[in-house]
Amino acid sequence: MMNGYLRQDGRKGIRNIVVVAYLVECAHHVARQIVNKSGNDQVHLIGFPGCYPNAYALRMMEKLGTHPNVGGVLLVSLGCEGFNREALQQTVSDSGRAVETLVIQQQGGTLKTIAAGVTKVKQLLKQAQQTKMVPMTIDDLVVGTICGGSDGTSGITANPAVGRCFDQLVAQQATCIFEETGELIGCEDTMCQRATTPELAKEIELAMIKAANYYTTMGYGSFAPGNAEGGLTTQEEKSMGAYCKSGDSPIQGLIKPGDIPPGGGLYLLDVVPDGEPRFGFPNISDNAEIVELIASGSHVVLFTTGRGSVVGSAISPVIKICANPETYARMKDDMDIDAGKILTGTKVDRVGREIYDLTLNVAAGEASKSEAMGHQEFILTYKQFEPIGPGCLPARVS
Amino acid sequence: MTNSASNALVRLHSADNVAVSCRHLVVGEEIDLNDTIIHLVEDIPVGHKVALRRVRLGCKIVKYGAPIGSATADIEPGRHVHLHNMKSDYIASHTRTTVKHSGEHL
């Protein structure tokens, strides 16, 4: 039985985190000290390092500050940076959450801000504890998936097993999100066939053309040296394996980072920026994608890995599904699920069921491995997006 | 020594001309994959691909029933199929050693 923290917008959280957010790198140390000195694993650090304003970064921070897993927010500003802290404070406040802002230049420097921050966090934790808890069902859940450190086993063990889990969740009207169009290059035809309308298929096709162009301009595919060491040879081979994570359900919509899916079903998250490439690689590392999945509402993220990733995330727990039996043997302290046993005869369905059961347990409060070890990685960089097109979220037929 | 396919190689689709190793396979092993015997002429680490048929230069490598790139050399059955004998039809792959210190791609 799951109980969730009821938020004003009707969404329910599986955690009740107080986030401390630095609004420029210059405030990072102070914010981190506030988190460390609070000595509470329910206080997480997030932030944006840039001094120049960016609409995407503001929107992401608004979506993260009003995420159902978040119960309170402390903003830490240096004072002179371009980030619109007033707008962010207002958005979080309007969501019914307690929110405070500390400006280091106004507080009188590092030590005074840290001391004030520790006090504020204590208050925010107390206020967050007042949040009403209500029964939560599977159709309240938003689950994202990502792969990182993929190898030749990922596409035949962990990824298809996550696909089976997604199929089970979608069958019960949960919301499932898969992503990284750049890691789906080569799968465009089959994805378009799964779209619920021709208009959505067209939008997916355009997003895939955008991804191929963007990565070509960058000079690299979404393909790391470790992928090759693990037996993957080409982008399209990696894509075919990554694509299995989406399962077999129809694709209900195409969203961009920060868009919250309007109802249950399977959604594709387009993470590749719009317009001419301006700020560099779409996502510079796995956590940038995890942050976007969370900004789009993911309560929990299913992370498949062959080479062996150890990351977790601020705000939402990350469940690690290990594809490669040799990696699992070496790194099992970090892995929640051993999917490599599929290579020695365990059925994909059975591992899919294991992932499904663990997802519900983690939603009910059990800590994932990375969460228990305190992994709270977070990264947010510059990007630009246009709003999604009219065909991206077809009217739902009930 | 002939191994059963269940613990050695998996062919993901009937159209595939490569199979994936399920464990570290050693040169000289003979693997029975659906009554076709594959003679391994080199080691194949777990997750890597081995050619099931002769693949001519320029022909598609097929895995999951889909093309995953093209052969850059003639590939004999039992050979390791990887960066040295195939390439992407989309975006070139890179390794640590193909990037110069300046960041320029070789």
Side-chain angles (χ1 to χ4, degrees):
Chain A
M1 178 69 185
M2 290 186 284
N3 281 308
Y5 297 91
L6 181 63
R7 310 300 179 191
Q8 190 177 280
D9 62 5
R11 289 190 289 166
K12 297 161 194 166
I14 63 166
R15 298 290 185 273
N16 200 23
I17 305 296
V18 166
V19 293
V20 177
Y22 59 91
L23 304 183
V24 63
E25 181 61 20
C26 318
H28 189 160
H29 173 75
V30 169
R32 186 173 52 219
Q33 288 291 98
I34 293 169
V35 171
N36 290 348
K37 285 181 192 298
S38 74
N40 186 319
D41 61 7
Q42 299 306 299
V43 180
H44 291 185
L45 179 68
I46 68 172
F48 180 66
C51 188
Y52 297 90
N54 180 250
Y56 158 82
L58 175 58
R59 181 162 192 256
M60 292 291 289
M61 291 288 267
E62 288 177 332
K63 296 296 176 180
L64 295 165
T66 58
H67 188 281
N69 286 356
V70 171
V73 178
L74 173 65
L75 306 179
V76 184
S77 159
L78 174 62
C80 43
E81 73 274 10
F83 202 102
N84 190 340
R85 60 176 183 262
E86 291 85 2
L88 177 55
Q89 157 127 8
Q90 191 62 49
T91 303
V92 177
S93 175
D94 290 347
S95 78
R97 286 170 180 78
V99 53
E100 298 281 352
T101 300
L102 289 174
V103 180
I104 297 170
Q105 289 165 354
Q106 293 170 9
Q107 288 293 318
T110 301
L111 297 180
K112 287 173 189 160
T113 312
I114 293 169
V118 171
T119 309
K120 296 274 189 210
V121 164
K122 268 190 203 137
Q123 291 162 358
L124 289 166
L125 281 165
K126 244 183 225 157
Q127 284 165 288
Q129 279 164 13
Q130 309 300 316
T131 311
K132 189 177 167 193
M133 291 203 78
V134 293
M136 194 169 166
T137 46
I138 293 174
D139 58 351
D140 290 319
L141 266 185
V142 183
V143 182
T145 190
I146 176 180
C147 40
S150 296
D151 69 13
T153 64
S154 301
I156 55 183
T157 62
N159 292 351
V162 166
R164 302 292 163 86
C165 168
F166 261 29
D167 289 342
Q168 277 183 282
L169 287 166
V170 167
Q172 295 171 83
Q173 279 78 51
T175 301
C176 291
I177 310 175
F178 72 114
E179 54 88 59
E180 189 30 329
T181 39
E183 289 173 0
L184 295 167
I185 288 170
C187 307
E188 41 281 336
D189 292 346
T190 148
M191 276 200 294
C192 288
Q193 286 164 17
R194 286 170 64 194
T196 51
T197 65
E199 292 77 19
L200 175 59
K202 187 71 195 166
E203 295 279 7
I204 293 174
E205 188 191 340
L206 292 173
M208 294 308 298
I209 293 169
K210 177 180 71 168
N213 287 340
Y214 206 101
Y215 276 97
T216 303
T217 306
M218 290 294 118
Y220 295 100
S222 178
F223 192 94
N227 298 145
E229 286 156 20
L232 295 174
T233 314
T234 64
Q235 178 69 67
E236 55 269 42
E237 178 185 16
K238 180 178 172 182
S239 297
M240 288 300 297
Y243 179 58
C244 303
K245 300 198 300 303
S246 66
D248 288 323
S249 307
I251 299 175
Q252 198 79 48
L254 176 71
I255 57 172
K256 292 181 182 176
D259 294 333
I260 313 290
L266 178 68
Y267 294 80
L268 172 60
L269 175 62
D270 173 11
V271 303
V272 175
D274 293 311
E276 288 300 307
R278 280 175 76 183
F279 300 118
F281 294 101
N283 282 314
I284 63 173
S285 56
D286 293 328
N287 276 99
E289 294 167 40
I290 292 175
V291 165
E292 291 180 331
L293 285 167
I294 294 172
S296 285
S298 297
H299 291 98
V300 49
V301 174
L302 306 179
F303 189 128
T304 65
T305 184
R307 304 295 288 171
S309 171
V310 300
V311 305
S313 180
I315 298 176
S316 294
V318 173
I319 293 174
K320 226 39 98 15
I321 299 120
C322 187
N324 185 323
E326 294 176 0
T327 304
Y328 184 81
R330 220 169 30 240
M331 298 179 67
K332 64 168 171 254
D333 291 349
D334 285 280
M335 304 300 166
D336 295 282
I337 300 271
D338 169 22
K341 62 192 174 201
I342 289 168
L343 293 182
T344 47
T346 304
K347 296 281 182 231
V348 175
D349 276 335
R350 198 172 134 191
V351 177
R353 182 76 206 187
E354 254 183 73
I355 301 168
Y356 173 87
D357 290 342
L358 182 62
T359 302
L360 297 192
N361 287 345
V362 168
E366 183 181 322
S368 71
K369 291 267 179 90
S370 55
E371 188 181 15
M373 285 187 284
H375 279 284
Q376 291 166 16
E377 287 85 348
F378 183 90
I379 188 163
L380 181 60
T381 59
Y382 285 94
K383 275 186 159 186
Q384 60 182 352
F385 283 98
E386 301 294 330
I388 52 170
C392 288
L393 292 174
R396 302 169 65 81
V397 184
S398 54
Chain B
M1 180 180 72
T2 303
N3 294 299
S4 72
S6 64
N7 65 354
L9 280 178
V10 57
R11 185 190 211 174
L12 299 168
H13 190 278
S14 58
D16 292 359
N17 53 18
V18 293
V20 181
S21 67
C22 298
R23 59 174 171 78
H24 189 102
L25 304 176
V26 183
V27 59
E29 284 194 58
E30 294 185 350
I31 295 156
D32 181 351
L33 190 63
N34 305 328
D35 298 328
T36 306
I37 306 293
I38 312 295
H39 301 264
L40 290 185
V41 295
E42 52 197 323
D43 283 12
I44 311 288
V46 64
H48 286 239
K49 295 176 288 301
V50 59
L52 300 176
R53 299 195 282 268
R54 173 177 293 181
V55 184
R56 293 286 187 196
L57 169 69
C59 291
K60 299 291 182 195
I61 307 294
V62 180
K63 180 183 168 186
Y64 298 103
I68 58 159
S70 302
T72 54
D74 289 337
I75 306 172
E76 298 300 319
R79 280 274 171 204
H80 188 203
V81 179
H82 204 20
L83 296 162
H84 60 290
N85 55 15
M86 71 168 288
K87 67 172 180 62
S88 172
D89 295 327
Y90 287 79
I91 301 172
S93 304
H94 64 282
T95 65
R96 287 186 190 89
T97 52
T98 57
V99 182
K100 286 182 182 171
H101 288 301
S102 66
E104 187 188 336
H105 199 229
L106 287 176

